[in-house]
Amino acid sequence: MKIPGKTRIIVLISSIILLQNCSKAAESNQAPAAPALPVYTVTSSPATTYQELPTSLEGKNNVEIRPQVDGYLDKIYVEEGAYVRAGQPLFKIDSRAYGEQVNMAQANLQAANANIQKAKVEVDRLQPLVDAKVVSDVQMKTAKANYAAAVAAAAQAKASVGNAKINVGFTTVTAPVSGYIGRIPYKRGSSISRTDANPLTVLSDISEIYAYFSLSEMEFIAFQNKYPGATLEEKLRNMPMVELVLADGSIYPERGKMSIIDGQFDRSTGSITVRAIFPNVHGTLRTGNTGRVRVPQLLTNVVTIPQESTFEVQDKTYVYVLGKDKKVTSKPITISGKTESYYFISEGLAAGDKIVYAGLGTLKDGVTIQPKAISSDSLFKVKPLQ
């Protein structure tokens, strides 16, 4: 039986559609292509990491300048913020009353010296009479006692003169150390007293800056175990120089030296205070500045990886390690230190392991990838090694 031409065309079209549907079904059953992701081989090398600790800065000396005598502030020789040298005059207190005290004390001294001469004359007058037994020894003893009293009174008057002159000297207030003048709360003509709550000013010697920071008990024990030396002083001498990170994030150009540790722990905070000394020749740092002390720690043969190669799950850090079958497996790591861009790994990775560098968000355990090898050197354009 012949099939009509029109029917044959319909059958042919149906066959073509059926073949196309079968081809699409076969394609849909094929596994998706493995993603191509960058992979690099982990290496180990020496590196330096830093422990950063918040710090407050103080000058070598911060001296409150207070008056030693009472009176009216007559002159102010310096401006706030000015640099002064030790011995330079700062303030002048009205000295007229103290000058008169000097004159009175000197007059009393002259009178006391005259009494000495008078008592000496009496002793000299009685001596031959006593020798001749014309007068009794009692009169001579009385004369000598009067002479001794006159000498003592003269010494007391001389001390009064010295004290009065000291007070006159105190009316000129000078700088005990070199440094920078702080705020001056008093103006010319102000009445000032030794009992005033506020000092005349505060003088800061900032030729050296002390950076104070705290260590917890665990950090202090780790510090003791980290550096060689039989005593704490020896350990401090064996510590490397430390750096200072300023409030704007920049690094202070001069490095400091650890110098002293407090004698005991603060019971309220459980910490101990440590001090580092930084030179400050140009006066860049001031008392009251804040920052962070960077304590370096040398790590030998440490595994270093970029932070981009990690991800976090429930406060734990992981990487994807590539297996021989090109399948990836997540692995937890322990971070011993870090820089701005890199992690130092103490546990979880070893030299020779291959980890995925990027594209971690598309991965899960057991996924097969097409590894695209990249050089470790290309990842460390900013070297974390020191």
Side-chain angles (χ1 to χ4, degrees):
M1 181 180 63
K2 293 185 178 180
I3 300 175
K6 189 174 183 179
T7 303
R8 283 187 303 208
I9 294 172
I10 294 174
V11 172
L12 180 59
I13 294 173
S14 299
S15 299
I16 293 172
I17 293 174
L18 180 61
L19 289 172
Q20 288 178 342
N21 289 337
C22 291
S23 176
K24 290 181 179 179
E27 289 177 358
S28 64
N29 290 330
Q30 292 179 357
L37 295 176
V39 173
Y40 67 93
T41 302
V42 173
T43 60
S44 63
S45 60
T48 299
T49 184
Y50 295 91
Q51 180 183 14
E52 294 192 357
L53 301 161
T55 182
S56 59
L57 306 183
E58 293 184 13
K60 182 179 180 180
N61 281 316
N62 294 302
V63 183
E64 289 187 347
I65 306 301
R66 293 185 175 274
Q68 299 298 309
V69 293
D70 303 337
Y72 291 97
L73 188 58
D74 190 26
K75 294 179 181 179
I76 300 175
Y77 297 114
V78 293
E79 297 290 339
E80 294 178 341
Y83 179 80
V84 298
R85 298 191 177 277
Q88 181 176 334
L90 305 179
F91 304 96
K92 179 67 176 178
I93 300 171
D94 188 358
S95 62
R96 289 174 296 178
Y98 298 101
E100 290 303 316
Q101 290 179 6
V102 171
N103 294 335
M104 182 178 295
Q106 288 177 335
N108 291 336
L109 178 59
Q110 290 177 352
N113 288 331
N115 289 332
I116 290 177
Q117 295 299 322
K118 180 179 179 181
K120 183 67 167 58
V121 169
E122 182 66 11
V123 170
D124 293 341
R125 185 185 70 83
L126 290 176
Q127 187 63 54
L129 297 177
V130 172
D131 294 339
K133 297 184 178 180
V134 175
V135 297
S136 65
D137 290 342
V138 174
Q139 289 180 305
M140 187 61 179
K141 291 179 180 179
T142 301
K144 288 183 177 181
N146 291 335
Y147 175 77
V151 171
Q156 186 175 13
K158 185 177 181 180
S160 297
V161 171
N163 186 63
K165 288 182 176 180
I166 289 174
N167 287 337
V168 170
F170 281 152
T171 60
T172 300
V173 182
T174 59
V177 296
S178 298
Y180 289 88
I181 295 294
R183 191 175 69 88
I184 302 175
Y186 299 97
K187 305 302 178 185
R188 184 178 176 183
S190 300
S191 177
I192 58 176
S193 171
R194 291 169 291 180
T195 59
D196 288 338
N198 294 324
L200 295 174
T201 189
V202 176
L203 182 59
S204 296
D205 177 4
I206 57 173
S207 57
E208 291 181 335
I209 286 291
Y210 295 158
Y212 291 94
F213 57 96
S214 298
L215 293 177
S216 67
E217 188 172 357
M218 295 297 293
E219 290 171 334
F220 180 69
I221 293 173
F223 162 79
Q224 288 183 308
N225 296 332
K226 188 181 304 180
Y227 301 104
T231 64
L232 191 56
E233 289 74 15
E234 292 180 1
K235 293 178 183 291
L236 288 173
R237 287 195 295 268
N238 291 326
M239 279 195 66
M241 302 289 282
V242 297
E243 296 180 344
L244 178 63
V245 182
L246 302 179
D248 63 354
S250 62
I251 305 297
Y252 182 63
E254 300 286 347
R255 294 194 297 171
K257 181 66 177 176
M258 300 285 287
S259 67
I260 192 172
I261 291 183
D262 201 354
Q264 59 184 4
F265 280 88
D266 187 332
R267 293 185 178 181
S268 61
T269 62
S271 61
I272 193 168
T273 300
V274 185
R275 185 182 75 182
I277 300 178
F278 291 86
N280 191 35
V281 178
H282 302 292
T284 306
L285 303 176
R286 298 296 180 95
T287 296
N289 282 151
T290 59
R292 302 187 307 277
V293 171
R294 298 178 67 191
V295 183
Q297 179 182 359
L298 179 63
L299 304 176
T300 58
N301 296 323
V302 64
V303 171
T304 306
I305 65 172
Q307 294 185 18
E308 294 93 331
S309 301
T310 67
F311 64 98
E312 293 185 0
V313 177
Q314 295 181 348
D315 297 331
K316 291 186 178 181
T317 305
Y318 293 82
V319 294
Y320 277 115
V321 178
L322 180 67
K324 294 181 179 180
D325 55 359
K326 296 185 180 181
K327 292 183 178 180
V328 297
T329 304
S330 61
K331 192 172 185 180
I333 57 174
T334 300
I335 299 171
S336 60
K338 66 178 180 179
T339 66
E340 184 177 350
S341 303
Y342 305 99
Y343 285 143
F344 300 117
I345 310 304
S346 59
E347 294 181 6
L349 289 175
D353 289 343
K354 292 180 172 59
I355 65 174
V356 181
Y357 172 62
L360 308 185
T362 63
L363 297 179
K364 61 181 180 179
D365 285 349
V367 170
T368 301
I369 67 170
Q370 289 295 329
K372 181 181 178 182
I374 58 176
S375 170
S376 297
D377 293 338
S378 66
L379 301 178
F380 300 119
K381 293 179 180 179
V382 180
K383 295 288 186 181
L385 308 182
Q386 301 291 328

